[in-house]
Amino acid sequence: MSAVTAEHDHDEHHDHGPEKGFLRWIVTTNHKDIGTLYLFFALAMFFVGGTMALIIRAELFEPGMQFVTPQFFNSMTTMHALVMVFGAVMPAFVGFANWLIPMMIGAPDMALPRMNNMSFWMLVAGVMMLASTLFMEGGAPASGWTLYPPLVLQTGAALPFAIFSVHLLGISSIMGAINIIATIFNMRAPKMTLMKMPLFVWTWLITAFLLIAIMPVFAGAVTMLLTDRFFDTSFFDAAGGGDPVLYQHIFWFFGHPEVYVMILPTFGIASTIIPVFARKALFGYSSMVYATAAIAFLSFIVWAHHMFTVGMPLSGELYFMYATMLIAIPTGVKIFNWTATMWRGSMTFETPMLFSIAFVVLFTLGGFTGLMMALAPIDFQYHDTYFIVAHFHYTLVPASVFILMAGGYFWLPKWTGNMYDERLGQLHFWLSAVSVNILFFPQHFLGLAGMPRRIPDYAVQFSDWNMVSSIGAFIFGFSQLMFVYIVVKTIKGGTGEKVTDEVWEGAAQHSLEWTLPSPVPYHTFATPPENIPTEHY
Amino acid sequence: MMSTQDAYYIPHKATWPIAATLGLLTSLAGFANYLNGNAAGSTFMLIGLGIFILMLAGWFTMQATESETGMYNRGVGISYRMGMMWFIFSEIMFFAVFFGTLWYTRNLSVDWLAGIGEGPGRSSGLLWPSFEAVWPTNGPGNVGGEYEPMGAFGLPLLNTLLLLTSGVTCTWAHHGLLANNRSQLIKGLAATVGLGFLFVGFQALEYMEAYHDMGLTLGSGIYGSTFFMLTGFHGFHVCVGAIILSVVLFRSWKGHFTPENHFAFEAAAWYWHFVDVVWLGLFIFVYMM
Ligand code: HEM
Ligand SMILES: [Cu+2]
């Protein structure tokens, strides 16, 4: 299979480089351009969401009401979560997918390049619509990102906008996911068999399946919110025979797989980086693939562990408790494999590796607290406290976000041809790794002591740890500015040192993108590669 | 230059997606404003819809031209087919939400409201002592007032027969296409489109009856909500499917498609069968049971 890159009604014989000028970024169908768009958009949203988080932490620095109204505080917790999940973490992984999947499987581009462009713009539209709610009468939604009725139905003018933004984000995600599946199944180089694919490709294949299965479910749930509010339906209203708990079931049928949408590509990148710096093959390649698939399957049948306290029949409580505990098994397999990959490797500790090792350690912590809350009787106490806030932030910040940073440092030299400043990178790592623990570790104590989540004021006994947590938050937040500085500097020429094609010693034995020139040309693998790296399995 | 048979066609730039996004964003923002009681809302909604429809026409014309000038090879065809299959899967999940809602309310939460069952049931029984768990119901609050439930054996049965027949005519058209029999293709498609729109017409009639004579509305408690949500979204999909098939009919009449190259026809047919199967589910779970 080879590729042509013509536009039939366009001047036929130019060199197929990028469109000139600003328009390039609007009409592009090139997977690298679109990947770049996704990544910059995600980075920008990371700071928007981060600012909201700092507003939350500033208010919680001391007991009492300092800066914001309770209503606005609740809007912040809601919008922070929605922006981070749908605007930052998911798009960042789609950005990596766009850049890397075609190169990793030896394809000329994504399978459906026009739709690829549309996925990105639908994302921008969705996030814009969501952000617009901040300026509306009655404020942005303040119900928490889960949008539970009946509370969410009290939202002011913002409600229909928030709902339609979910629809737009859903359209964007579904189109992106369809594209990824079609690319992986249909565009692989002939010799790239499924079990030779880098794990990042595997994890995205499974993530894409999750996305197509769950985004319509979320769309359906919010559609029912819309009709309940504006068209007299009674889906979530007991007076009409409906049930507000039904919303929670539907939401979490989406919501639990959704958290795996954010963690599976994380696993993929970690499994790509660790072997390179351990200078070994990934330990247990096929078990990694099966564990990923098992986690994805289990993610569909455990949703009500978010609802232990809502009032379910005892059989439900027990079933969801045991099913949830099962997830620890494939997750444990993965952690074992990463550790075994490092075992007796000749390791070096460049920035990507540092972030990856921190991920293995700190994600394990988040997994353990998850396991604690999987126990229904124990969760009766932890539910809706800061303990769960600590849990999911450990699985998201020092896991997903750290790995996104690791991926940035890992591939940026490949993409730009320039080396980042290793000293600054390490400083960024240590600042992040220390402050993230100052930020989130005390939240375990707060939760165990009974401090509720999503609350702008608290009893004085919680003061000390809140103060510590807020200090950590500000250090963490401002440290991330370093990342922007390093990225911009690298794009502009970096340390001046030109990187080799392989960039990292031995990387070309792990994955195809390292066999290409640095920086990578605008179009790659117009003809499929003959040799498939086999180090990773 | 793009003619080599084994080359995967990669477009150089795309201008329709941004139009699609602007159209959808404008119409949704307009709709949201309309819902908030803002007078200008509906105007924006129509403008956005207009942009969206123009976009669809432009984009699909471009695709059709590219396809007819032989720019797509087998690989591109496979990508498109995969895209369509997974799109239909997402639609299945969307309908699953509403079927799931019907199942959950009928079998679990209505009982709990009436105090039946362990767990939640025990306390709700005290709240609504006189409420009895029967289906259909508009809840303990008698929300929406008295209504008559929709029977299965009038228009709905007729519609079932119409839709099933249209599935057959669609397949017949496909056989015509594969055998290079254009008149069979066109006749089969015309019949399918006709039956599709007839279905929509009868459903409109059914809705009118429900609203005017039976007191059954979207506001008739959980029964009215699930009834109209499920049948309404399905009816919308029938409309979309029939419009897609009309475009395919028009293209067939213009001489497009060959036995080897007819992705648009296949995609439309798959979609149609999907809509057909959803209706069977509706007929059984919404109307008959
Ligand atoms: C070992 C695997 C895991 C287990 C057993 C687990 C278990 C749980 C349980 C039981 C809860 C509900 C707590 C409550 O509401 O009382 C929960 C909440 C949560 N988990 Fe996990 N979890 C795991 C991994 C993850 C991962 C990998 C992520 C994300 C990347 C994640 C993100 C979340 C989020 C966001 C919430 C809170 C949702 C909310 O109420 O807003 N979890 N987890
Ligand atoms: Cu969960």
Side-chain angles (χ1 to χ4, degrees):
Chain A
M1 180 177 58
S2 63
V4 285
T5 54
E7 176 71 7
H8 62 105
D9 56 1
H10 195 67
D11 48 340
E12 300 253 311
H13 285 286
H14 78 53
D15 61 350
H16 315 316
E19 192 84 6
K20 298 279 172 297
F22 182 69
L23 208 59
R24 163 181 176 184
W25 299 105
I26 294 175
V27 300
T28 183
T29 52
N30 179 285
H31 72 103
K32 302 183 183 78
D33 279 354
I34 295 175
T36 305
L37 285 171
Y38 265 108
L39 287 172
F40 275 114
F41 182 78
L43 189 61
M45 287 307 123
F46 180 58
F47 283 96
V48 173
T51 308
M52 294 171 178
L54 291 186
I55 294 173
I56 295 171
R57 281 320 316 172
E59 179 58 53
L60 293 175
F61 185 71
E62 280 178 343
M65 299 302 303
Q66 266 76 240
F67 304 109
V68 296
T69 61
Q71 168 80 21
F72 186 74
F73 181 92
N74 286 342
S75 286
M76 283 297 101
T77 57
T78 307
M79 295 292 280
H80 160 71
L82 290 172
V83 167
M84 284 302 198
V85 170
F86 294 104
V89 175
M90 287 169 64
F93 281 119
V94 181
F96 276 103
N98 258 297
W99 256 103
L100 296 169
I101 289 176
M103 294 200 288
M104 284 178 161
I105 62 174
D109 205 307
M110 297 292 279
L112 304 162
R114 287 178 181 133
M115 200 167 80
N116 202 9
N117 175 295
M118 186 148 80
S119 316
F120 176 74
W121 289 111
M122 288 285 174
L123 164 74
V124 176
V127 173
M128 268 168 49
M129 196 160 227
L130 183 66
S132 73
T133 63
L134 280 166
F135 308 100
M136 283 174 192
E137 209 180 306
S143 57
W145 77 291
T146 53
L147 308 177
Y148 280 179
L151 184 59
V152 75
L153 298 176
Q154 297 171 18
T155 308
L159 186 69
F161 291 90
I163 287 170
F164 292 146
S165 87
V166 169
H167 287 134
L168 286 168
L169 295 166
I171 293 172
S172 162
S173 293
I174 291 169
M175 288 193 306
I178 288 176
N179 212 342
I180 285 170
I181 292 186
T183 305
I184 296 175
F185 278 142
N186 195 31
M187 306 287 283
R188 274 174 293 127
K191 291 193 176 148
M192 177 62 75
T193 55
L194 284 176
M195 288 312 263
K196 280 187 185 160
M197 295 193 309
L199 259 168
F200 180 64
V201 182
W202 258 114
T203 51
W204 245 118
L205 178 64
I206 292 168
T207 303
F209 170 75
L210 289 184
L211 276 173
I212 303 178
I214 62 171
M215 290 313 291
V217 174
F218 192 19
V222 296
T223 304
M224 287 190 270
L225 288 179
L226 188 81
T227 57
D228 265 13
R229 162 86 174 256
F230 294 105
F231 299 99
D232 300 335
T233 56
S234 307
F235 290 111
F236 309 129
D237 178 7
D243 185 359
V245 176
L246 170 62
Y247 176 87
Q248 301 189 16
H249 280 293
I250 302 174
F251 180 87
W252 287 113
F253 184 85
F254 148 81
H256 188 79
E258 168 65 23
V259 306
Y260 285 95
V261 165
M262 294 186 280
I263 205 69
L264 293 184
T266 310
F267 292 168
I269 295 183
S271 307
T272 312
I273 294 179
I274 293 175
V276 172
F277 293 96
R279 290 168 182 75
K280 277 176 64 189
L282 179 69
F283 185 88
Y285 172 86
S286 49
S287 70
M288 284 296 214
V289 173
Y290 297 133
T292 310
I295 292 177
F297 169 74
L298 288 173
S299 75
F300 282 110
I301 56 168
V302 298
W303 73 88
H305 63 218
H306 296 272
M307 303 163 57
F308 282 141
T309 62
V310 87
M312 275 190 294
L314 182 64
S315 48
E317 300 272 337
L318 288 174
Y319 162 73
F320 283 107
M321 171 166 103
Y322 293 129
T324 302
M325 279 160 30
L326 280 182
I327 299 189
I329 298 170
T331 313
V333 168
K334 286 188 164 280
I335 290 168
F336 178 85
N337 285 350
W338 291 317
T339 317
T341 305
M342 289 187 269
W343 178 253
R344 296 201 164 158
S346 31
M347 293 210 283
T348 50
F349 300 93
E350 287 87 348
T351 312
M353 185 60 163
L354 288 175
F355 273 110
S356 302
I357 295 174
F359 151 76
V360 175
V361 176
L362 298 175
F363 173 73
T364 307
L365 234 140
F368 277 140
T369 51
L371 202 53
M372 289 167 74
M373 295 187 304
L375 301 164
I378 295 187
D379 188 62
F380 286 1
Q381 186 186 339
Y382 300 162
H383 179 66
D384 264 351
T385 68
Y386 256 83
F387 191 77
I388 163 183
V389 178
H391 156 68
F392 66 73
H393 281 97
Y394 265 90
T395 57
L396 282 169
V397 184
S400 300
V401 173
F402 269 28
I403 282 297
L404 285 167
M405 300 285 174
Y409 285 109
F410 189 57
W411 280 293
L412 205 56
K414 178 83 234 167
W415 297 340
T416 61
N418 306 320
M419 198 60 194
Y420 65 87
D421 186 328
E422 182 64 41
R423 250 194 38 230
L424 284 183
Q426 303 227 352
L427 183 64
H428 173 221
F429 167 75
W430 284 110
L431 277 171
S432 304
V434 172
S435 62
V436 86
N437 285 293
I438 303 178
L439 163 55
F440 291 121
F441 207 83
Q443 297 184 358
H444 291 116
F445 308 145
L446 289 169
L448 291 176
M451 176 169 162
R453 67 191 284 207
R454 293 173 179 154
I455 209 95
D457 189 8
Y458 49 82
V460 285
Q461 84 235 35
F462 303 126
S463 306
D464 295 349
W465 288 124
N466 267 304
M467 203 171 275
V468 174
S469 178
S470 290
I471 292 169
F474 277 87
I475 304 175
F476 182 81
F478 283 96
S479 305
Q480 303 318 309
L481 292 172
M482 276 189 75
F483 184 68
V484 180
Y485 175 76
I486 297 169
V487 168
V488 172
K489 204 176 142 208
T490 310
I491 293 172
K492 290 196 163 162
T495 54
E497 171 199 350
K498 284 294 158 203
V499 297
T500 60
D501 290 354
E502 202 176 48
V503 182
W504 311 105
E505 186 191 10
Q509 290 154 31
H510 290 268
S511 179
L512 274 173
E513 73 272 25
W514 309 106
T515 62
L516 295 164
S518 303
V520 265
Y522 194 58
H523 292 292
T524 43
F525 293 127
T527 45
E530 281 299 317
N531 298 316
I532 307 297
T534 52
E535 184 66 21
H536 60 73
Y537 77 109
Chain B
M1 60 157 300
M2 66 290 159
S3 55
T4 42
Q5 253 313 299
D6 60 345
Y8 194 94
Y9 173 66
I10 291 169
H12 184 62
K13 60 170 189 174
T15 38
W16 290 117
I18 192 79
T21 309
L22 285 177
L24 203 56
L25 184 63
T26 313
S27 64
L28 285 179
F31 189 26
N33 271 305
Y34 164 79
L35 290 175
N36 284 338
N38 201 325
S42 44
T43 315
F44 279 99
M45 202 173 144
L46 289 177
I47 294 173
L49 224 55
I51 299 176
F52 197 76
I53 290 169
L54 282 179
M55 176 283 298
L56 285 177
W59 196 335
F60 281 111
T61 308
M62 176 180 77
Q63 294 285 136
T65 317
E66 287 180 358
S67 172
E68 289 304 308
T69 47
M71 292 169 81
Y72 301 158
N73 65 357
R74 225 177 67 87
V76 176
I78 294 176
S79 289
Y80 285 161
R81 282 173 177 75
M82 282 183 176
M84 191 64 196
M85 270 162 48
W86 287 101
F87 168 66
I88 290 178
F89 174 62
S90 78
E91 291 266 44
I92 291 173
M93 291 309 290
F94 185 72
F95 274 99
V97 177
F98 301 110
F99 276 107
T101 297
L102 180 66
W103 179 84
Y104 177 92
T105 44
R106 275 186 79 156
N107 293 304
L108 298 176
S109 67
V110 168
D111 279 358
W112 291 339
L113 264 184
I116 302 171
E118 54 162 337
R122 249 170 284 162
S123 45
S124 324
L126 301 175
L127 281 174
W128 311 101
S130 59
F131 177 62
E132 273 180 64
V134 284
W135 188 266
T137 178
N138 57 353
N142 193 25
V143 170
E146 292 311 313
Y147 65 93
E148 203 185 312
M150 186 61 74
F153 296 107
L155 280 177
L157 181 63
L158 182 61
N159 262 348
T160 309
L161 296 177
L162 286 181
L163 219 48
L164 287 179
T165 316
S166 79
V168 176
T169 55
C170 185
T171 307
W172 190 64
H174 197 183
H175 283 295
L177 174 54
L178 291 178
N180 232 336
N181 181 345
R182 190 144 301 259
S183 98
Q184 182 179 335
L185 167 66
I186 292 177
K187 276 186 215 145
L189 274 174
T192 314
V193 171
L195 288 167
F197 281 120
L198 204 58
F199 174 96
V200 176
F202 279 136
Q203 196 174 16
L205 210 64
E206 180 194 331
Y207 275 19
M208 249 141 46
E209 238 171 67
Y211 265 75
H212 293 305
D213 308 334
M214 301 163 73
L216 176 60
T217 70
L218 200 53
S220 300
I222 192 64
Y223 175 66
S225 307
T226 48
F227 176 81
F228 283 105
M229 202 71 154
L230 275 160
T231 57
F233 267 118
H234 175 263
F236 174 71
H237 280 74
V238 177
C239 280
V240 172
I243 292 170
I244 298 175
L245 282 170
S246 312
V247 174
V248 170
L249 173 60
F250 176 71
R251 285 184 60 187
S252 308
W253 174 71
K254 293 259 288 185
H256 291 195
F257 306 128
T258 63
E260 294 79 37
N261 180 21
H262 53 265
F263 162 70
F265 179 94
E266 258 175 46
W270 290 347
Y271 194 78
W272 195 250
H273 290 310
F274 152 70
V275 169
D276 211 354
V277 171
V278 171
W279 175 259
L280 281 184
L282 287 182
F283 189 64
I284 295 170
F285 293 110
V286 176
Y287 289 97
M288 296 216 312
M289 288 176 68

